[in-house]
Amino acid sequence: MSDEKKFEPKIIGFLCNWCSYAAADLAGVSRIQYPPNIIIIRVMCSGRIDPSFILEAFKDGADGVLVAGCHLPSDCHYISGNFKALRRVTLLKKVLRDFGIEPERLRLEWLSASEGDRFAAIVRDMVEEIKKLGPNPLKAKEVEA
Amino acid sequence: MDEKVGAVLVVGGGVAGIQASLDLADSGFKVYLLDESTSIGGTMAQLDKTFPTNDCSMCILAPKLVTAGRHPNIQLITHSELEKVKGKAGNFQITILKHPRLVNVEKCTGCGLCAQNCPTEVPNEFDQNMSMRKAIYVPFPQAVPLKYAIDIENCIKCRLCERICPAKAVDFDQQPETVKINVGSIILAPGFEGFDCHLKTEYGYGRFLNVVSSIEFERMMNASGPFGGKIVRPFDGKIPRKIAFIQCVGSRDAQLGNNYCSAACCMYAIKEAVIVKEHSSNPLDCTIFYMDMRCYGKEFDAYYERAQGEWGIEFVRSRVASVTEDPSTGNLFLHYVEIEEPKEEEFDMVVLSVGMQPPKNVEKLAENLGIKLNKYRFCQTDTFSPLETSKPGIFVCGAFGGPKDIPESVAQASGAASKAMCIIATERGKLIAEKEFPPERDVSQEEPRIGVFVCRCGINIGSVVNVPKVVDYAKTLPNVVYAEENLYTCSQDAQKLVAEKIRQHNLNRVVVASCTPRTHEPLFRETVQEAGLNPYLFEMANIRDQCSWVHMHEHEKATEKAKDLVASMVAKARLLKPLKKPTIEVTPVGLVIGGGIAGMTAALELAKQGFEVHLVEKKKELGGHLLTMHYLFEKDDNPQEKLQAITKAVMENDKIHVYTGAEVVDVYGFVGNFKTRIKRQSGKEKEIDHGIVIVATGAVEYEPTEYLYGKDPRIMTQHELEEQIAKGEFKAKTVVVIQCVGARNEERPNCSRICCGQAMKNALKIKQVSPKTEVYVLYKDIRTYGFKEDYYREAATKGVLFVNYDDERKPRVVDEDGKLKVTFWEPVIKEEVEIGPDVVVLSAATLPNPDNKRIAEMLKVPLTKDGFFLEAHMKLRPVDFATDGVFLCGMAHWPKFIDESISQACAAAARAATILSKKTLDAEGTVAHIDEDLCIGCGVCISICPYKAIAKDENGLAKVNEVLCKGCGTCAASCPERAIMMHQFTDEQLIAQGIAVLRRATHG
């Protein structure tokens, strides 16, 4: 791979089955175009997302991580999993810098099943933002070493 | 002979017939599904995409075809016709004539060797004769049953097929066969016939090659169609640059005798224009010539808006007078009048949006069955019995009851199934067999052997993603021992193939890279199960909805992403474990929220099927909107009398418990086992146990803020006008009616569906009680779809004046010294007109019930952007929620007329019956499991579980109650000792999914 090649961020998205994954599907059926930088990992609930999954993704070179769940306060299919995701991601963001990762690389969003357009907009926006930040610093270090 | 029979005959194997069959068969009844064709599928199988979601038609239909084809309680009787019907509701004796297929279906494996070698080619009617097929054939590749048939008329009897067939299935001695069956009820779903465009001579169909019908165009657009999805001009094979769509061909045409509106053409024309533009690599202009754009369905107007804005489709309001051709180029000239000016425009191609007509030989069918047809030869039904024919025990659904689109046909199909069940409720379960799977193979000692099946989904994936490259890549992944591509992995033949490959290559994990698991996972799981694998040894990579459809112009990157997605799922598949499904008991009791016509109908249907029901109504009285209705279109129907009869039936039914002045305040539990608290206005609370919920909370009328409403008693809504007329207080000499008040504007872009009909009803009533009163209706589009078009014509004939307005020139209403003055633009004379009416009537929008939000949160179901409830799938699951055991009907779903609410209510009851009729359900195997060796008994999971599904055991360690666990996995994310394994979404699996993609990026 040539160095000249433009930086294309790799983003991992942890999406809950009921609202946010459905929103991503809706973007598809509505043919709303967005950049192909995100790979979605489906979980049943945003409350399933262990902070260690996110750290692991960054450790393996993800340039960004999106966590998405059902809208607060009460859209969660499992009653309150979204609140748990909120707490965990908020805390993780606070310590992310200690690991050498800009907190902006981690995003938490609430998406309902009818928000296909908003899902696409979020991905577009995230890709732009991360392009400005550049590649995951951990990955850069690895290459140097 | 009077004994009731627990079986149902369904006539017609289109999407409606299939849905009715599935609901019946899943509720404990034997079904005979009869179709004239050699395969089920109907018209929907021929369509390319479906509006408003742009889902590929075959993709969403194929799982239903397959499920119906392999259901143990559905017997397909194809290539056959109904010959004689005797008996009465509860016990009909049916004689069916089976035409010879000349192929033994027991022996035919569908290998296709016969067709490959058959020397006789004949026009393929499935492709509207635009391609050829052999004399031995299946109508389309996903046909169910996938059994060949010989077209006797065209076969030259060379008998090559007979010699070549490895299964020895060809049988030239087959004779017509008479089959006799007994059933308790009959459902008619014979569909419709497309209008014959030759009859509309002025458009040149049949004379000008580049004039095609919309159904031909659907086939042209289709990837498996005659031109592989490429649109070419029949005249010269060139790609068209400018296409015209002409609406209402064979509809709204009194000269041809079809005054009715065909209800679906406006939307399918927009869809065809949008899709063809989307697929065209060259610039392409599409223009739709219409009289009124009738986008009255759920979120249809939003689709129409996008077509105009984002997709740049042109819309011209005009009835095209004629089409002429330049014989040297094959180009076509449309002659039409727009705003009183004659015009002519040249196009490369013309698509005629053909209307729906009753099916062929409908008179014979009606005579055979003894049912009445209406004046257009569709099945006769009534407002309050939209699913009943004139003969007890025989029901109707789909387009045979009147032109309609797919979701309404599907809702009616489920509704008709409920009606059919009510008659033979006592016979439930008597004639059915349980589905049996082969014993599960023990794979615990085997290394993972993964098979990857990459679906082209016609051109949906294949035109963007390089599928062969993805297959090659998959073969390089660890533990993948087999990979291949399929045109449609979900088709019945591909399903068989997957099962074969599992056996042949001893696969123990399967990954299908296709569409979304949210719609297709159940189908594929069943397939792996039929091949002897545990259903959880299966995963899906979503390379369509989340790849090819959203990166349509980046083929290379989309291919790379598809590889990533496959790598990710293969990584997960390697770690999959077989899981067991816990069994849950079902409480055979229903809860219906809302006591309007929809809620009451749903409750009655459930009760008639033998289930106990709790019906909760917020108001003090049952009846909902119907309480304010004083007359209907049909002159002799009195809505209040009907309402009283229905209310009485509800109150007197001892299976129905009615709670008026009561609200649902808390819902706890899940499918089969809900617990709900109901609070009465007195403050008294009651807790009930039930297995399902039906939401029928209705809608409310918009209170206008425009046109002086509320400031002047002479300005009123349609409801208020109706009240005034009913009380005999109506005296106005001049009335102005303004349509779309509070609808189709920026705040609420969608149409409220019922207001045009209401306006016609009230305008006609005015003309009846006061024939001299002048009535002006100011409208954007008149949307009197289906047979309601008759009332529009009647109103126009009786002198009601219709004036079109648009957003730029909205009418103005002012009070000038106590006199009302309405000013509006008259587009024909091109002048502002001022009139002084005595009364201004506003057709106010229908808004979602403000309670929806609270109820949606309690039930954990979604709402649309407008605030109506959002069903599981707009096309094929119109009354289901994605959450099991919760259903939807009536205006809570979208504004609708009485007959439509009743159909949906019956549908919700039928869907509910598929659960309530079972003693137990298989719950999901995806539950949490706690490793006793790692658990330290800290109790974090116990406090965090939203379902109280975890408790301490006798050793002080946490233990999961598998029946209560819903599989959210939040406990696993919180366990400090990592002692909790969330099955199917384990830490290892989810982390491996990420690693597979990220390592590939770094090293690739």
Side-chain angles (χ1 to χ4, degrees), chain B residues 91-135:
Chain B
N91 192 336
F92 290 103
Q93 298 97 50
I94 315 275
T95 312
I96 288 167
L97 177 68
K98 271 178 107 167
H99 298 294
R101 257 180 128 98
L102 305 190
V103 172
N104 182 333
V105 291
E106 305 295 325
K107 289 183 183 168
C108 175
T109 63
C111 73
L113 211 57
C114 51
Q116 271 170 32
N117 288 284
C118 173
T120 314
E121 287 210 320
V122 288
N124 182 353
E125 48 291 83
F126 187 78
D127 275 342
Q128 301 289 301
N129 301 329
M130 291 182 292
S131 68
M132 302 300 272
R133 63 159 170 81
K134 296 298 179 63

Short mmCIF file of all heavy atoms in Angstrom, two decimals, chain B residues 91-135:
data_model
loop_
_atom_site.label_atom_id
_atom_site.label_comp_id
_atom_site.label_asym_id
_atom_site.label_seq_id
_atom_site.Cartn_x
_atom_site.Cartn_y
_atom_site.Cartn_z
N ASN B 91 -68.52 -27.07 6.67
CA ASN B 91 -68.24 -28.30 5.93
C ASN B 91 -68.59 -28.15 4.45
O ASN B 91 -69.72 -28.30 4.03
CB ASN B 91 -69.03 -29.47 6.55
CG ASN B 91 -68.56 -30.81 6.02
OD1 ASN B 91 -67.99 -30.90 4.92
ND2 ASN B 91 -68.77 -31.85 6.79
N PHE B 92 -67.58 -27.77 3.69
CA PHE B 92 -67.74 -27.69 2.24
C PHE B 92 -67.11 -28.92 1.61
O PHE B 92 -66.06 -29.39 2.07
CB PHE B 92 -67.01 -26.47 1.67
CG PHE B 92 -67.64 -25.15 2.03
CD1 PHE B 92 -67.08 -24.34 3.02
CD2 PHE B 92 -68.76 -24.70 1.35
CE1 PHE B 92 -67.64 -23.11 3.33
CE2 PHE B 92 -69.33 -23.47 1.66
CZ PHE B 92 -68.77 -22.67 2.65
N GLN B 93 -67.75 -29.45 0.55
CA GLN B 93 -67.13 -30.55 -0.20
C GLN B 93 -66.65 -29.97 -1.53
O GLN B 93 -67.44 -29.43 -2.30
CB GLN B 93 -68.12 -31.68 -0.46
CG GLN B 93 -68.63 -32.32 0.83
CD GLN B 93 -69.98 -31.74 1.25
OE1 GLN B 93 -70.89 -31.67 0.45
NE2 GLN B 93 -70.08 -31.32 2.50
N ILE B 94 -65.36 -30.07 -1.74
CA ILE B 94 -64.73 -29.39 -2.87
C ILE B 94 -64.25 -30.43 -3.90
O ILE B 94 -63.63 -31.43 -3.51
CB ILE B 94 -63.48 -28.61 -2.40
CG1 ILE B 94 -63.78 -27.83 -1.13
CG2 ILE B 94 -62.91 -27.76 -3.53
CD1 ILE B 94 -64.39 -26.50 -1.31
N THR B 95 -64.50 -30.13 -5.15
CA THR B 95 -63.92 -30.94 -6.22
C THR B 95 -62.92 -30.08 -6.98
O THR B 95 -63.25 -28.97 -7.41
CB THR B 95 -65.00 -31.46 -7.18
OG1 THR B 95 -66.06 -31.99 -6.40
CG2 THR B 95 -64.45 -32.51 -8.12
N ILE B 96 -61.70 -30.59 -7.10
CA ILE B 96 -60.64 -29.85 -7.77
C ILE B 96 -60.17 -30.64 -8.98
O ILE B 96 -60.02 -31.87 -8.91
CB ILE B 96 -59.46 -29.62 -6.81
CG1 ILE B 96 -59.86 -28.59 -5.74
CG2 ILE B 96 -58.20 -29.14 -7.55
CD1 ILE B 96 -58.91 -28.51 -4.58
N LEU B 97 -59.95 -29.92 -10.08
CA LEU B 97 -59.44 -30.58 -11.28
C LEU B 97 -57.95 -30.28 -11.39
O LEU B 97 -57.54 -29.13 -11.51
CB LEU B 97 -60.18 -30.07 -12.52
CG LEU B 97 -59.66 -30.63 -13.84
CD1 LEU B 97 -59.96 -32.12 -13.96
CD2 LEU B 97 -60.26 -29.88 -15.02
N LYS B 98 -57.14 -31.35 -11.33
CA LYS B 98 -55.68 -31.18 -11.46
C LYS B 98 -55.29 -31.44 -12.90
O LYS B 98 -55.52 -32.51 -13.43
CB LYS B 98 -54.95 -32.20 -10.56
CG LYS B 98 -54.70 -31.69 -9.16
CD LYS B 98 -54.02 -32.75 -8.33
CE LYS B 98 -52.56 -32.42 -8.10
NZ LYS B 98 -51.98 -33.28 -7.05
N HIS B 99 -54.71 -30.41 -13.51
CA HIS B 99 -54.27 -30.58 -14.89
C HIS B 99 -52.98 -31.40 -14.90
O HIS B 99 -52.16 -31.28 -14.00
CB HIS B 99 -54.01 -29.22 -15.54
CG HIS B 99 -55.24 -28.38 -15.60
ND1 HIS B 99 -56.32 -28.73 -16.36
CD2 HIS B 99 -55.59 -27.23 -14.96
CE1 HIS B 99 -57.27 -27.81 -16.21
NE2 HIS B 99 -56.85 -26.89 -15.35
N PRO B 100 -52.81 -32.21 -15.94
CA PRO B 100 -51.59 -33.03 -15.96
C PRO B 100 -50.36 -32.17 -16.19
O PRO B 100 -50.35 -31.31 -17.07
CB PRO B 100 -51.82 -33.98 -17.13
CG PRO B 100 -52.87 -33.33 -17.98
CD PRO B 100 -53.70 -32.48 -17.08
N ARG B 101 -49.35 -32.36 -15.39
CA ARG B 101 -48.08 -31.67 -15.52
C ARG B 101 -47.15 -32.43 -16.45
O ARG B 101 -46.15 -31.94 -16.89
CB ARG B 101 -47.39 -31.66 -14.15
CG ARG B 101 -47.42 -30.42 -13.37
CD ARG B 101 -46.67 -30.69 -12.05
NE ARG B 101 -45.67 -29.67 -11.88
CZ ARG B 101 -45.84 -28.60 -11.11
NH1 ARG B 101 -46.94 -28.42 -10.44
NH2 ARG B 101 -44.89 -27.69 -11.02
N LEU B 102 -47.49 -33.72 -16.62
CA LEU B 102 -46.66 -34.68 -17.35
C LEU B 102 -45.30 -34.88 -16.67
O LEU B 102 -44.37 -35.42 -17.25
CB LEU B 102 -46.49 -34.29 -18.82
CG LEU B 102 -47.78 -34.09 -19.62
CD1 LEU B 102 -47.47 -33.95 -21.11
CD2 LEU B 102 -48.79 -35.21 -19.40
N VAL B 103 -45.22 -34.41 -15.44
CA VAL B 103 -44.01 -34.65 -14.64
C VAL B 103 -44.49 -35.10 -13.26
O VAL B 103 -45.38 -34.49 -12.68
CB VAL B 103 -43.16 -33.37 -14.49
CG1 VAL B 103 -42.03 -33.57 -13.50
CG2 VAL B 103 -42.60 -32.92 -15.84
N ASN B 104 -43.93 -36.17 -12.80
CA ASN B 104 -44.29 -36.69 -11.49
C ASN B 104 -43.59 -35.84 -10.42
O ASN B 104 -42.36 -35.85 -10.29
CB ASN B 104 -43.84 -38.15 -11.38
CG ASN B 104 -44.24 -38.77 -10.07
OD1 ASN B 104 -44.38 -38.09 -9.05
ND2 ASN B 104 -44.41 -40.09 -10.07
N VAL B 105 -44.39 -35.09 -9.64
CA VAL B 105 -43.79 -34.14 -8.68
C VAL B 105 -43.07 -34.86 -7.54
O VAL B 105 -42.16 -34.31 -6.92
CB VAL B 105 -44.83 -33.16 -8.11
CG1 VAL B 105 -45.31 -32.19 -9.16
CG2 VAL B 105 -45.99 -33.88 -7.46
N GLU B 106 -43.47 -36.10 -7.28
CA GLU B 106 -42.80 -36.85 -6.22
C GLU B 106 -41.35 -37.17 -6.64
O GLU B 106 -40.45 -37.21 -5.81
CB GLU B 106 -43.52 -38.19 -5.95
CG GLU B 106 -45.00 -38.08 -5.61
CD GLU B 106 -45.22 -37.34 -4.30
OE1 GLU B 106 -44.40 -37.50 -3.39
OE2 GLU B 106 -46.22 -36.59 -4.21
N LYS B 107 -41.19 -37.39 -7.93
CA LYS B 107 -39.86 -37.81 -8.41
C LYS B 107 -38.99 -36.63 -8.85
O LYS B 107 -37.77 -36.69 -8.75
CB LYS B 107 -40.03 -38.77 -9.59
CG LYS B 107 -40.57 -40.14 -9.19
CD LYS B 107 -40.64 -41.05 -10.42
CE LYS B 107 -41.24 -42.40 -10.08
NZ LYS B 107 -41.55 -43.13 -11.33
N CYS B 108 -39.59 -35.58 -9.41
CA CYS B 108 -38.80 -34.47 -9.97
C CYS B 108 -37.95 -33.81 -8.89
O CYS B 108 -38.44 -33.50 -7.81
CB CYS B 108 -39.74 -33.43 -10.59
SG CYS B 108 -38.89 -31.96 -11.19
N THR B 109 -36.68 -33.63 -9.17
CA THR B 109 -35.78 -32.99 -8.21
C THR B 109 -35.52 -31.54 -8.57
O THR B 109 -34.81 -30.84 -7.87
CB THR B 109 -34.43 -33.72 -8.15
OG1 THR B 109 -33.82 -33.58 -9.45
CG2 THR B 109 -34.57 -35.17 -7.80
N GLY B 110 -36.08 -31.09 -9.68
CA GLY B 110 -35.87 -29.71 -10.09
C GLY B 110 -34.48 -29.44 -10.62
O GLY B 110 -34.01 -28.30 -10.59
N CYS B 111 -33.80 -30.47 -11.12
CA CYS B 111 -32.41 -30.29 -11.55
C CYS B 111 -32.31 -29.46 -12.84
O CYS B 111 -31.32 -28.80 -13.08
CB CYS B 111 -31.70 -31.62 -11.73
SG CYS B 111 -32.24 -32.53 -13.20
N GLY B 112 -33.36 -29.51 -13.67
CA GLY B 112 -33.39 -28.64 -14.85
C GLY B 112 -32.73 -29.21 -16.09
O GLY B 112 -32.65 -28.55 -17.12
N LEU B 113 -32.28 -30.45 -16.01
CA LEU B 113 -31.62 -31.08 -17.15
C LEU B 113 -32.59 -31.16 -18.34
O LEU B 113 -32.19 -30.99 -19.49
CB LEU B 113 -31.17 -32.48 -16.73
CG LEU B 113 -29.92 -33.03 -17.40
CD1 LEU B 113 -28.75 -32.07 -17.16
CD2 LEU B 113 -29.58 -34.42 -16.85
N CYS B 114 -33.85 -31.42 -18.03
CA CYS B 114 -34.86 -31.56 -19.08
C CYS B 114 -34.97 -30.27 -19.89
O CYS B 114 -34.95 -30.28 -21.11
CB CYS B 114 -36.20 -31.93 -18.46
SG CYS B 114 -36.71 -30.84 -17.11
N ALA B 115 -35.09 -29.13 -19.17
CA ALA B 115 -35.26 -27.86 -19.86
C ALA B 115 -34.01 -27.50 -20.66
O ALA B 115 -34.09 -26.96 -21.76
CB ALA B 115 -35.58 -26.77 -18.85
N GLN B 116 -32.86 -27.84 -20.11
CA GLN B 116 -31.61 -27.56 -20.84
C GLN B 116 -31.61 -28.25 -22.20
O GLN B 116 -31.12 -27.71 -23.18
CB GLN B 116 -30.41 -28.06 -20.04
CG GLN B 116 -29.85 -27.06 -19.06
CD GLN B 116 -28.83 -27.72 -18.13
OE1 GLN B 116 -28.14 -28.66 -18.52
NE2 GLN B 116 -28.76 -27.23 -16.91
N ASN B 117 -32.18 -29.43 -22.25
CA ASN B 117 -32.11 -30.22 -23.47
C ASN B 117 -33.35 -30.15 -24.35
O ASN B 117 -33.32 -30.60 -25.49
CB ASN B 117 -31.83 -31.69 -23.12
CG ASN B 117 -30.39 -31.86 -22.65
OD1 ASN B 117 -29.47 -31.86 -23.46
ND2 ASN B 117 -30.19 -31.92 -21.34
N CYS B 118 -34.40 -29.56 -23.84
CA CYS B 118 -35.64 -29.48 -24.61
C CYS B 118 -35.41 -28.62 -25.87
O CYS B 118 -34.88 -27.52 -25.78
CB CYS B 118 -36.75 -28.87 -23.75
SG CYS B 118 -38.26 -28.53 -24.66
N PRO B 119 -35.79 -29.11 -27.04
CA PRO B 119 -35.52 -28.38 -28.27
C PRO B 119 -36.55 -27.30 -28.59
O PRO B 119 -36.34 -26.49 -29.47
CB PRO B 119 -35.55 -29.48 -29.34
CG PRO B 119 -36.49 -30.50 -28.79
CD PRO B 119 -36.40 -30.43 -27.30
N THR B 120 -37.69 -27.29 -27.86
CA THR B 120 -38.77 -26.38 -28.22
C THR B 120 -38.74 -25.11 -27.37
O THR B 120 -38.83 -25.19 -26.14
CB THR B 120 -40.13 -27.08 -28.04
OG1 THR B 120 -40.03 -28.36 -28.62
CG2 THR B 120 -41.24 -26.29 -28.67
N GLU B 121 -38.65 -23.97 -28.04
CA GLU B 121 -38.67 -22.70 -27.31
C GLU B 121 -40.00 -22.02 -27.53
O GLU B 121 -40.50 -21.96 -28.65
CB GLU B 121 -37.55 -21.79 -27.81
CG GLU B 121 -36.17 -22.22 -27.34
CD GLU B 121 -35.24 -21.04 -27.19
OE1 GLU B 121 -35.30 -20.15 -28.06
OE2 GLU B 121 -34.47 -21.01 -26.21
N VAL B 122 -40.58 -21.49 -26.47
CA VAL B 122 -41.85 -20.77 -26.57
C VAL B 122 -41.75 -19.47 -25.77
O VAL B 122 -40.94 -19.39 -24.85
CB VAL B 122 -43.04 -21.63 -26.05
CG1 VAL B 122 -43.34 -22.75 -27.01
CG2 VAL B 122 -42.76 -22.17 -24.67
N PRO B 123 -42.57 -18.48 -26.12
CA PRO B 123 -42.51 -17.22 -25.38
C PRO B 123 -42.80 -17.44 -23.89
O PRO B 123 -43.69 -18.21 -23.53
CB PRO B 123 -43.59 -16.36 -26.03
CG PRO B 123 -43.79 -16.94 -27.39
CD PRO B 123 -43.52 -18.41 -27.24
N ASN B 124 -42.03 -16.74 -23.06
CA ASN B 124 -42.13 -16.92 -21.62
C ASN B 124 -43.13 -15.92 -21.04
O ASN B 124 -42.85 -14.72 -20.99
CB ASN B 124 -40.72 -16.70 -21.02
CG ASN B 124 -40.71 -16.91 -19.52
OD1 ASN B 124 -41.75 -17.08 -18.89
ND2 ASN B 124 -39.51 -16.87 -18.96
N GLU B 125 -44.30 -16.42 -20.62
CA GLU B 125 -45.34 -15.50 -20.14
C GLU B 125 -44.94 -14.81 -18.84
O GLU B 125 -45.37 -13.71 -18.57
CB GLU B 125 -46.72 -16.17 -20.06
CG GLU B 125 -46.87 -17.53 -19.37
CD GLU B 125 -46.23 -18.70 -20.13
OE1 GLU B 125 -45.01 -18.89 -19.98
OE2 GLU B 125 -46.95 -19.45 -20.85
N PHE B 126 -44.09 -15.45 -18.04
CA PHE B 126 -43.65 -14.82 -16.80
C PHE B 126 -42.88 -13.52 -17.11
O PHE B 126 -42.96 -12.55 -16.38
CB PHE B 126 -42.75 -15.78 -16.00
CG PHE B 126 -42.39 -15.26 -14.64
CD1 PHE B 126 -43.31 -15.33 -13.59
CD2 PHE B 126 -41.14 -14.71 -14.39
CE1 PHE B 126 -42.99 -14.84 -12.34
CE2 PHE B 126 -40.82 -14.23 -13.13
CZ PHE B 126 -41.74 -14.29 -12.10
N ASP B 127 -42.14 -13.51 -18.20
CA ASP B 127 -41.43 -12.31 -18.66
C ASP B 127 -42.29 -11.52 -19.66
O ASP B 127 -41.76 -10.80 -20.50
CB ASP B 127 -40.10 -12.69 -19.31
CG ASP B 127 -38.99 -12.84 -18.28
OD1 ASP B 127 -39.17 -12.33 -17.15
OD2 ASP B 127 -37.96 -13.45 -18.59
N GLN B 128 -43.58 -11.69 -19.60
CA GLN B 128 -44.49 -10.99 -20.51
C GLN B 128 -44.11 -11.24 -21.98
O GLN B 128 -44.13 -10.34 -22.81
CB GLN B 128 -44.49 -9.49 -20.21
CG GLN B 128 -44.93 -9.15 -18.79
CD GLN B 128 -46.40 -9.40 -18.59
OE1 GLN B 128 -47.25 -8.84 -19.25
NE2 GLN B 128 -46.73 -10.30 -17.67
N ASN B 129 -43.70 -12.45 -22.24
CA ASN B 129 -43.33 -12.89 -23.60
C ASN B 129 -42.13 -12.16 -24.19
O ASN B 129 -41.92 -12.17 -25.39
CB ASN B 129 -44.53 -12.78 -24.55
CG ASN B 129 -45.70 -13.62 -24.07
OD1 ASN B 129 -45.49 -14.66 -23.43
ND2 ASN B 129 -46.89 -13.17 -24.34
N MET B 130 -41.35 -11.52 -23.36
CA MET B 130 -40.18 -10.81 -23.88
C MET B 130 -38.94 -11.71 -23.91
O MET B 130 -37.89 -11.30 -24.37
CB MET B 130 -39.89 -9.56 -23.03
CG MET B 130 -40.96 -8.48 -23.21
SD MET B 130 -40.60 -7.00 -22.28
CE MET B 130 -40.78 -7.58 -20.61
N SER B 131 -39.06 -12.91 -23.34
CA SER B 131 -37.96 -13.86 -23.44
C SER B 131 -38.55 -15.22 -23.83
O SER B 131 -39.76 -15.34 -23.98
CB SER B 131 -37.22 -13.96 -22.10
OG SER B 131 -38.06 -14.56 -21.14
N MET B 132 -37.69 -16.20 -23.99
CA MET B 132 -38.19 -17.52 -24.36
C MET B 132 -37.96 -18.49 -23.20
O MET B 132 -37.05 -18.33 -22.40
CB MET B 132 -37.43 -18.04 -25.59
CG MET B 132 -37.52 -17.14 -26.81
SD MET B 132 -39.20 -16.87 -27.40
CE MET B 132 -39.38 -18.27 -28.51
N ARG B 133 -38.82 -19.47 -23.16
CA ARG B 133 -38.60 -20.57 -22.23
C ARG B 133 -38.78 -21.86 -23.02
O ARG B 133 -39.17 -21.83 -24.18
CB ARG B 133 -39.59 -20.51 -21.07
CG ARG B 133 -41.04 -20.66 -21.48
CD ARG B 133 -41.90 -21.10 -20.32
NE ARG B 133 -43.32 -21.04 -20.63
CZ ARG B 133 -43.99 -21.97 -21.30
NH1 ARG B 133 -43.35 -23.04 -21.76
NH2 ARG B 133 -45.28 -21.86 -21.53
N LYS B 134 -38.49 -22.99 -22.35
CA LYS B 134 -38.65 -24.26 -23.02
C LYS B 134 -40.07 -24.80 -22.83
O LYS B 134 -40.82 -24.28 -22.01
CB LYS B 134 -37.63 -25.27 -22.47
CG LYS B 134 -36.18 -24.88 -22.74
CD LYS B 134 -35.90 -24.82 -24.23
CE LYS B 134 -34.48 -24.42 -24.56
NZ LYS B 134 -33.46 -25.36 -24.09
N ALA B 135 -40.40 -25.84 -23.57
CA ALA B 135 -41.73 -26.43 -23.43
C ALA B 135 -41.85 -27.20 -22.12
O ALA B 135 -42.93 -27.42 -21.60
CB ALA B 135 -42.03 -27.34 -24.60
#
